[in-house]
Amino acid sequence: MALGAIPSFFLQLWIGGVLALLSLFLLFQALTVRLQFTPTDLDIYRGKIIIRRFPYQEWQNWRIFWYPVPILFYFKEIKSIHFLPILFDPTTLKECLEQHCPRI
């Protein structure tokens, strides 16, 4: 996406700027956010601080969108839905999900 921002600057300055900012945001997220699969929860960490815990018992479904070129990880809990951009290896993500929270 960052490489796409460069030629976009020549076509439309604002589109290139938006793509560049989005690329920087995703890079920051990829470097700082970590998922940890525990026996009972999916924990999300920023650095060493846990920012969110999702107990598997509250999950109703999950899905990885566009698996050949993974873009988005979706899961639904009893009270809410969540979309996470895929910033990690989709094969490992799928293996961990199938191990800890098989699809319903």
Side-chain angles (χ1 to χ4, degrees):
M1 182 178 299
L3 294 176
I6 295 168
S8 297
F9 275 119
F10 297 109
L11 297 174
Q12 287 286 337
L13 184 61
W14 70 272
I15 292 175
V18 168
L19 287 175
L21 287 175
L22 182 59
S23 297
L24 289 173
F25 171 74
L26 292 176
L27 176 64
F28 174 75
Q29 294 290 74
L31 294 174
T32 60
V33 174
R34 298 286 175 253
L35 302 181
Q36 181 176 357
F37 289 89
T38 69
T40 58
D41 308 305
L42 169 63
D43 295 337
I44 301 180
Y45 286 85
R46 175 163 283 127
K48 294 184 179 190
I49 299 170
I50 188 168
I51 57 174
R52 192 76 194 263
R53 174 168 283 150
F54 298 102
Y56 302 130
Q57 67 184 10
E58 296 181 7
W59 288 35
Q60 294 181 327
N61 196 10
W62 61 267
R63 185 172 178 195
I64 297 173
F65 286 99
W66 300 292
Y67 193 78
V69 182
I71 297 173
L72 194 61
F73 165 49
Y74 155 87
F75 65 98
K76 181 179 180 189
E77 290 184 294
I78 295 169
K79 297 179 183 177
S80 61
I81 62 172
H82 305 279
F83 292 95
L84 299 172
I86 294 185
L87 305 170
F88 24 77
D89 177 34
T91 304
T92 303
L93 174 64
K94 185 176 179 182
E95 289 171 1
C96 289
L97 287 167
E98 288 174 344
Q99 177 186 357
H100 294 287
C101 189
R103 285 189 207 209
I104 297 171

